[in-house]
């Protein structure tokens, strides 16, 4: 499994679904559909998305040592 970081490419809004898709080995479209369907259920989905957007680091550019 890949490290959990928001990618620089393949983002739609914040890159959270793309990061989760890479982490769990699915496509970003699948993860986005799962998120949209989960929004029909009661719960804090939007708050979790916002928290992940704020706290997940952005993927480091290729070629940087730091």
């Amino acid at each position: 499994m890949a490290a959990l970081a928001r990618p620089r490419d393949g983002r739609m809004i914040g890159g959270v679904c793309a990061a989760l898709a890479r982490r769990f080995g699915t496509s970003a479209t699948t993860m986005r559909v799962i998120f949209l369907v989960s929004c029909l259920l009661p719960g804090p989905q939007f708050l979790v998305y916002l928290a992940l957007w704020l706290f997940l680091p952005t993927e480091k550019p290729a070629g940087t040592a730091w």
Side-chain angles (χ1 to χ4, degrees), residues 2-34:
L4 194 55
R6 294 182 301 120
R8 291 186 176 273
D9 57 337
R11 291 181 177 187
M12 286 206 91
I13 297 175
V16 174
C17 289
L20 292 173
R22 284 186 181 181
R23 174 77 165 109
F24 294 112
T26 64
S27 72
T29 303
T30 302
M31 194 58 67
R32 290 176 186 124
V33 169
I34 290 170

Side-chain angles (χ1 to χ4, degrees), residues 8 58-66:
R8 291 186 176 273
T58 302
E59 186 177 64
K60 293 178 183 171
T64 58
W66 47 276

Side-chain angles (χ1 to χ4, degrees), residues 36-52:
L36 289 174
V37 170
S38 76
C39 288
L40 299 174
L41 303 171
Q45 292 86 346
F46 289 113
L47 295 177
V48 171
Y49 187 92
L50 290 174
L52 288 172

